Amino acid sequence: MRIQNIILNLLKEYGEELGNEALKNATEGTKIFGAGGNLDSLGLVNFVADLEDLLSEALQKPIVLADEKTMSAKNSPFKDVATLCAFIEGKFL
């Protein structure tokens, strides 16, 4: 649950900055990237960097989400909030 809250709060910050209502009201089903996603590729890069920093601080260990394997995966973990949470929890917890 803590991971999800970090992601949702960060998406809401991005929503405020971008004037994006879907991100301002982010939920578990909010699309992040890809078909119907709310971030373009540059937005995703910034989001991932910010999220890595927040997670590293919260979990007290280095977190790298944007490695070559993850970024080239057929099924992107950045599709939506639920998928990203499951990916992070499976990889780091």
Side-chain angles (χ1 to χ4, degrees):
M1 190 60 147
R2 188 166 127 199
I3 301 295
Q4 182 175 322
N5 288 339
I6 291 169
I7 294 169
L8 290 174
N9 288 336
L10 183 57
L11 286 174
K12 289 173 184 181
E13 286 180 29
Y14 272 71
E16 292 293 329
E17 285 179 28
L18 300 171
N20 180 313
E21 290 301 317
L23 293 179
K24 284 183 193 178
N25 301 300
T27 66
E28 190 175 297
T30 298
K31 302 282 186 205
I32 299 172
F33 184 73
N38 287 285
L39 296 176
D40 60 16
S41 56
L42 183 58
L44 179 65
V45 169
N46 291 324
F47 172 75
V48 168
D50 289 341
L51 184 57
E52 286 175 339
D53 289 342
L54 291 170
L55 290 172
S56 292
E57 185 178 311
L59 300 175
Q60 297 294 299
K61 61 182 174 181
I63 302 293
V64 177
L65 300 174
D67 61 20
E68 186 175 335
K69 183 179 177 184
T70 302
M71 297 310 280
S72 65
K74 183 175 182 175
N75 295 318
S76 172
F78 304 106
K79 179 177 81 170
D80 58 36
V81 173
T83 303
L84 182 54
C85 283
F87 169 76
I88 293 167
E89 289 169 357
K91 186 169 183 176
F92 300 105
L93 300 181

